[in-house]
Amino acid sequence: MASVTGMRVRVEARLKRRGLSTGRLTLFVFIAALLIAFFAFGGGHYFTLEYVKAQQEALSRARDAHPLLMSLIFFLIYVGVTAFSIPGATVMTLAAGALFGTAWGTLIVSLASTTGATLAFATSRFLLRDAVTARFAEPLDAINAGVRREGWMYLLSLRLIPAVPFWLINLLMGLTEIRLPTFFWASQLGMLPATLVYANFGTQLSGLTSLRGLLSPGLLAALVTLAVLPFGLKAGLSAIRTRRLLSKWRRPDRFDYNIVVIGAGSAGLVSSYIASTVKAKVALVERHAMGGDCLNTGCVPSKALLRSAGVAAELRRAAEYGVNVNGEVAVDFGAVMARVDRKRIEVAPHDSVERFTSLGVDCIAGRATITSPFSIEVKTEHGTVQTLTTRSIVIAAGSRPVVPDIPGLLDVGYLTSDTVWSLAELPKRLVVLGGGPIGCELAQAFARLGSRVTLIVRGERLLKKEDPDAAEKLLQRFRAEGIDVLLETGVVRCERRDSGKIVVARSKSGERTIAADEILCAVGRKANTEGYGLEALGIGLTSAGTIEVDDRLQTLYPNIFACGDVTGPFQFTHMAAHQAWYASINAMFGQLHRFKADYRVVPWVTFTSPEVARVGLNEEQAARRRIAYEVTVYELAELDRAITDSSTEGYVKILTPPGKDRILGATIVGEHAAGLLAEFALAMQHGIGLNGVLRTIHVYPTHSEAAKYAAGKWKLSHASQRMLRLLGRYHAWRRR
């Protein structure tokens, strides 16, 4: 009895992972059994042309005797046929025309077919959608994105094409996120033309010999034309709307530029580079410094600082490697910041005016204002104004640090990731607000350089976008290095006292007063959307405060595009460069074809120690989206190179669909996580599964072997135990 109960529990657990319940499975099996029995016992012959013609006279007599009752009975039978996806709708529609005439028959069939289709749709959604979503979540995401935008149009077009099976549309649409009312009215409208045609043919039922001859090539072409009509209508309406939108502005007779780019950060530089490469005439307008945040206040200086901090941390561990360092490790903060500035200067030529001028880009220093979809005014620091006319505009204005609204913060003074580089002395006591990537990186860097750091985080963990186990690894390291991490804590106010700055924080345990020499705000970044004309043009913003664009990065205007931090959804330098390709290509060649930005595989790294790197889904995202997955974890403590380097902290975690080697996502925590991540990003982008990773030769001993060993661990867990037992018997037989 216990074994039966255990088996039932295991079966139910397996069904749950696949998005099914025993109740739904029972209902599905019951419906399938009814349909099989119906056809097995010859039920299908009731929906053949021959049967209907044979019964036409009897049915006509019944109609004459009881017209309303026969109409109701016919309606209910039609609803049942379509609800159970029985292939007989065409014959039933012909019968409706024969019995009730074109008008009344069309009305009955139109209502009945839509009602039955909606029941089939709802049944498919109830029985199958969770299970299908669990297995095919990623492709369904793309389909649902289109359905949410214009699902009614797709459905209407499918309904207008007779070649697409009626019942199949019902079942497949039930797996999507289209709303039931939308499905009903689009089906009603889409099926009406074909219903009218078939009902009209049914009035000459006695003369029909085959269903094949019903649709002539001309009629079929007409229905296909109707199917294309919604898309043509959409394109026409879009063209009218665009024409009306642009009619407010005077279009120049001749343009100065093919494309003007606003902002010389990562997105703007890549947009300009691509445009100049294809010989377009390009202007790049920047009001501050070339290179944007990444070069001047972000990636480059922060990684230089992290390197110096990492060296200091390694020197403190020198004894572990058999190396003696006499005395305490002394950090010369002024020298550290001088090195940071030198490294920024060394990288700067890659983003310089000289380089881009040599590529053919006109680099213009000044504040840009979009005065029309075809013109931009640039005001220089000397007060002169220059007007540029252009066919297309790319907005790449970047973002800036968010400063929280905390009483007293402005009075006591604060730093951000933009201004922290002006520090001349190492703050003895540093309070960092924010547990995201920027806050974590800078908190650890200053702690390793010698500051006493307090990190205040509103949430329940660091790095809220990562899995809890990854955040916990980082938290343990931070506390081991002496960083005071306060989770689920908010700042009430800031004050200035004799001892310096005071931060008053509140958590569940009460208020706490923290003394600080400096306060660093790292609670996020805000898109730069003010001051260059968006409001005057009516270009909208999203709820996140970014410029509203479509999936081709186009704004309200067909020739104005936006990319990078100013539009999101990912505020990474590499994502800004990725979007810039789409924005610039669509801006220059959009009249021929426009490409959708590809966000399927987005890698990112938090450059703490240990590094936290991810691509694709993590466990929380997969669970939230009801995607069935398996987890394979390979601990770096098992890796030979990690052991020799004394860097065994961390793991490689891979998510795959149950029983399949396709990579849904990878999270890596470790000293070389960023380098390891590239292999998984490449594999996901090109559809290489874990079997492919396992077959690839990896150099020994390297950290890259962690990817292969993780794939090997997955392979071992999916080895057939039955096959292994058979192989054991085979080898035993060979030893005789």
Side-chain angles (χ1 to χ4, degrees):
M1 186 68 180
S3 62
V4 173
T5 303
M7 183 179 295
R8 180 170 59 80
V9 170
R10 287 194 297 273
V11 169
E12 288 179 350
R14 185 176 299 175
L15 289 173
K16 188 174 181 181
R17 285 197 304 272
R18 295 182 179 180
L20 287 169
S21 65
T22 51
R24 290 183 184 182
L25 182 63
T26 302
L27 181 58
F28 179 79
V29 172
F30 176 71
I31 293 173
L34 281 180
L35 291 173
I36 292 170
F38 177 82
F39 287 105
F41 289 101
H45 87 282
Y46 293 112
F47 303 106
T48 61
L49 182 62
E50 292 75 15
Y51 178 81
V52 172
K53 288 175 67 175
Q55 299 298 318
Q56 183 177 5
E57 186 177 343
L59 292 171
S60 296
R61 286 198 302 269
R63 175 209 60 202
D64 294 338
H66 307 284
L68 292 179
L69 180 61
M70 279 297 292
S71 297
L72 178 61
I73 291 172
F74 190 91
F75 175 87
L76 294 175
I77 292 173
Y78 203 115
V79 169
V81 168
T82 53
F84 283 97
S85 302
I86 298 172
T90 301
V91 173
M92 290 284 290
T93 306
L94 292 171
L99 292 174
F100 306 109
T102 301
W104 187 242
T106 298
L107 179 62
I108 293 172
V109 170
S110 181
L111 293 174
S113 61
T114 305
T115 303
T118 304
L119 289 172
F121 164 87
T123 303
S124 171
R125 174 162 290 184
F126 175 73
L127 292 179
L128 302 175
R129 186 167 71 166
D130 286 350
V132 172
T133 299
R135 280 187 168 271
F136 306 104
E138 286 187 278
L140 271 177
D141 277 349
I143 293 171
N144 282 324
V147 164
R148 284 190 292 271
R149 286 193 308 273
E150 44 199 24
W152 67 270
M153 195 163 63
Y154 296 134
L155 177 59
L156 188 59
S157 296
L158 288 171
R159 290 296 194 200
L160 287 164
I161 303 175
V164 182
F166 168 88
W167 59 272
L168 185 61
I169 297 172
N170 303 333
L171 300 182
L172 292 179
M173 293 305 291
L175 305 178
T176 71
E177 293 181 0
I178 191 171
R179 296 174 64 248
L180 190 143
T182 303
F183 177 87
F184 184 90
W185 74 257
S187 295
Q188 181 83 59
L189 185 60
M191 291 187 291
L192 187 59
T195 299
L196 182 61
V197 168
Y198 283 117
N200 185 58
F201 274 124
T203 59
Q204 296 102 36
L205 183 66
S206 58
L208 292 175
T209 57
S210 169
L211 294 178
R212 280 186 188 173
L214 287 178
L215 296 180
S216 66
L219 183 58
L220 189 59
L223 289 173
V224 171
T225 302
L226 279 175
V228 176
L229 186 61
F231 292 94
L233 184 62
K234 180 192 174 188
L237 290 173
S238 178
I240 293 170
R241 187 173 63 248
T242 298
R243 187 180 183 89
R244 186 176 300 166
L245 191 66
L246 295 177
S247 66
K248 304 174 187 177
W249 315 96
R250 191 185 73 80
R251 187 178 186 274
D253 297 328
R254 183 178 177 82
F255 296 98
D256 300 325
Y257 294 96
N258 297 101
I259 183 170
V260 172
V261 181
I262 300 175
S266 177
L269 292 172
V270 173
S271 295
S272 302
Y273 177 84
I274 291 171
S276 66
T277 300
V278 295
K279 304 306 178 184
K281 188 167 176 54
V282 189
L284 175 61
V285 184
E286 172 56 56
R287 64 178 178 176
H288 292 311
M290 293 284 286
D293 297 323
C294 182
L295 173 65
N296 299 289
T297 61
C299 309
V300 172
S302 68
K303 300 312 166 280
L305 183 72
L306 287 172
R307 177 58 179 155
S308 294
V311 170
E314 286 291 299
L315 288 173
R316 294 186 185 103
R317 296 179 57 197
E320 294 180 29
Y321 299 92
V323 177
N324 293 321
V325 176
N326 296 325
E328 289 291 320
V329 175
V331 174
D332 183 342
F333 187 72
V336 168
M337 296 304 280
R339 176 185 177 275
V340 168
D341 197 50
R342 285 199 307 275
K343 296 306 165 185
R344 187 194 62 78
I345 292 171
E346 287 179 30
V347 174
H350 302 162
D351 302 341
S352 65
V353 170
E354 292 76 16
R355 181 188 178 219
F356 277 80
T357 300
S358 71
L359 295 171
V361 177
D362 288 348
C363 298
I364 304 172
R367 179 184 291 273
T369 302
I370 306 173
T371 52
S372 84
F374 310 110
S375 61
I376 292 174
E377 283 187 356
V378 182
K379 186 175 182 179
T380 69
E381 60 180 4
H382 305 296
T384 59
V385 176
Q386 180 182 0
T387 299
L388 315 175
T389 60
T390 178
R391 276 197 171 274
S392 299
I393 299 169
V394 172
I395 302 170
S399 63
R400 63 187 185 277
V402 171
V403 179
D405 186 14
I406 298 172
L409 180 62
L410 186 61
D411 296 331
V412 303
Y414 59 88
L415 298 168
T416 68
S417 58
D418 280 1
T419 61
V420 69
W421 313 109
S422 63
L423 283 175
E425 295 182 2
L426 179 72
K428 293 180 180 178
R429 301 165 300 178
L430 177 67
V431 171
V432 180
L433 309 181
I438 296 174
C440 287
E441 289 180 9
L442 292 177
Q444 188 177 43
F446 277 93
R448 289 179 160 192
L449 292 171
S451 294
R452 189 164 76 247
V453 176
T454 302
L455 179 58
I456 300 177
V457 183
R458 277 190 173 275
E460 60 184 13
R461 67 173 189 259
L462 302 173
L463 303 180
K464 64 180 180 180
K465 293 185 178 180
E466 308 300 340
D467 275 332
D469 52 1
E472 183 61 27
K473 284 278 188 187
L474 191 60
L475 177 63
Q476 291 173 4
R477 172 67 76 87
F478 276 16
R479 286 177 171 163
E481 294 187 3
I483 301 173
D484 188 9
V485 182
L486 307 180
L487 300 176
E488 297 183 90
T489 302
V491 177
V492 178
R493 64 185 181 277
C494 298
E495 303 172 356
R496 184 175 291 280
R497 297 181 187 172
D498 294 339
S499 58
K501 300 175 183 180
I502 296 295
V503 175
V504 180
R506 179 182 295 153
S507 65
K508 293 177 181 178
S509 58
E511 283 194 356
R512 174 176 172 179
T513 299
I514 306 159
D517 297 300
E518 296 290 352
I519 301 170
L520 174 60
C521 297
V523 294
R525 297 184 67 84
K526 179 182 180 182
N528 291 324
T529 58
E530 302 91 9
Y532 51 90
L534 297 185
E535 304 86 354
L537 269 70
I539 294 175
L541 303 181
T542 67
S543 58
T546 57
I547 295 178
E548 191 172 6
V549 294
D550 63 13
D551 51 11
R552 292 163 175 81
L553 300 175
Q554 178 188 307
T555 67
L556 175 66
Y557 293 86
N559 66 324
I560 301 180
F561 296 80
C563 56
D565 285 5
V566 77
T567 191
F570 304 98
Q571 291 184 330
F572 308 128
T573 295
H574 51 280
M575 180 50 65
H578 177 73
Q579 286 183 323
W581 186 91
Y582 292 94
S584 57
I585 292 296
N586 288 339
M588 291 182 292
F589 304 110
Q591 70 278 13
L592 303 175
H593 180 71
R594 297 198 173 189
F595 296 89
K596 291 183 180 181
D598 183 2
Y599 301 130
R600 290 173 301 167
V601 180
V602 180
W604 66 75
V605 180
T606 300
F607 293 93
T608 48
S609 178
E611 293 174 343
V612 180
R614 177 155 71 90
V615 61
L617 298 175
N618 62 12
E619 289 193 73
E620 284 196 332
Q621 287 178 317
R624 188 165 57 247
R625 290 161 60 180
R626 297 184 299 174
I627 297 173
Y629 66 91
E630 295 178 344
V631 178
T632 301
V633 178
Y634 175 76
E635 298 288 345
L636 295 182
E638 301 176 35
L639 184 68
D640 291 0
R641 183 57 186 267
I643 293 170
T644 62
D645 287 359
S646 296
S647 58
T648 56
E649 182 182 12
Y651 57 79
V652 176
K653 181 201 294 185
I654 306 169
L655 271 60
T656 52
K660 297 182 180 179
D661 76 330
R662 182 167 59 89
I663 303 169
L664 296 174
T667 296
I668 308 172
V669 179
E671 294 302 328
H672 298 273
L676 279 171
L677 190 68
E679 183 167 358
F680 291 105
L682 180 71
M684 291 179 66
Q685 184 69 41
H686 297 285
I688 301 169
L690 290 179
N691 283 314
V693 174
L694 184 59
R695 287 193 298 267
T696 302
I697 299 173
H698 292 69
V699 174
Y700 178 89
T702 60
H703 293 277
S704 69
E705 284 187 297
K708 179 176 181 178
Y709 291 141
K713 194 168 183 178
W714 174 88
K715 186 72 171 180
L716 185 62
S717 68
H718 288 81
S720 170
Q721 297 302 312
R722 182 171 178 272
M723 180 60 69
L724 291 175
R725 286 194 296 272
L726 289 174
L727 288 172
R729 291 175 185 173
Y730 168 75
H731 289 303
W733 172 76
R734 292 275 290 169
R735 291 195 300 271
R736 292 177 184 172

